[in-house]
């Protein structure tokens, strides 16, 4: 029976590449000369540090562009509030990795509302969709691509 999994994953290697690219750009840019500014990465959480508010905003935009170049959807970024501490301005950024329960339930409900001949089941941080026909599964994929969700989705493990 054909099936596939709906997941939301961020490639850690590509994320590391994007962070390194932003840090390299910051060291080479003229407007950042002599400024203590960098992006620190710890698993899927990032901290952007700089000396001024506007520099932090520029670095977040640079990070967004670097993520797009590394094939990571910027929707996965969740930017926190700016914090002033001494001379430094910090902003915490977390990357959504895996589907949470609420989004999984929402996806299953959307699939059931389409009244296609498929079954959707939540399995941990992914949703497995099975059906008799391959065409039905492809309809589910196109329907989900057209929906506005607050997290990027990938479809993998397609079995025939």
């Amino acid at each position: 029976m054909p099936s596939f999994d709906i997941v939301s994953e961020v490639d850690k290697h590509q994320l590391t590449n994007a962070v390194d690219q932003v840090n390299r750009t910051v060291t080479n840019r003229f407007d950042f000369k002599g400024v203590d500014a960098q992006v620190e990465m710890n698993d899927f959480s990032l901290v952007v540090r700089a000396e001024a508010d506007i520099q932090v905003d520029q670095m977040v935009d640079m990070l967004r562009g670097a993520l797009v170049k590394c094939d990571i959807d910027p929707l996965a970024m969740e930017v926190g509030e700016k914090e002033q501490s001494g001379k430094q301005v910090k902003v915490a950024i977390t990357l959504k990795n895996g589907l949470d329960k609420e989004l999984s339930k929402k996806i299953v409900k959307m699939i059931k509302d389409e009244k296609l001949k498929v079954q959707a089941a939540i399995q941990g941080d992914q949703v497995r969709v099975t059906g008799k026909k391959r065409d039905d599964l492809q309809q589910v994929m196109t329907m989900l691509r057209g929906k506005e969700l607050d997290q990027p989705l990938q479809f993998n493990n397609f079995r025939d």
Side-chain angles (χ1 to χ4, degrees), residues 2 10 26 32 48 67 70 86 89 93 95 103 110 120 124 127 141-142 148 151:
V10 174
V26 166
F32 281 94
V48 178
L67 288 175
C70 291
V89 178
I93 299 173
L95 286 137
L103 187 60
M110 286 191 304
V127 177
M141 285 183 195
T142 31
E148 283 296 319
Q151 199 166 346

Side-chain angles (χ1 to χ4, degrees), residues 2 4 9 17-18 39-40 71 73 96 113-114 121 136 149 157:
F4 71 92
E9 295 175 339
N17 288 344
V39 179
E40 299 168 349
D71 292 330
D73 197 329
K96 301 174 194 168
D113 288 346
E114 286 292 311
D136 293 338
L149 298 168
N157 207 9

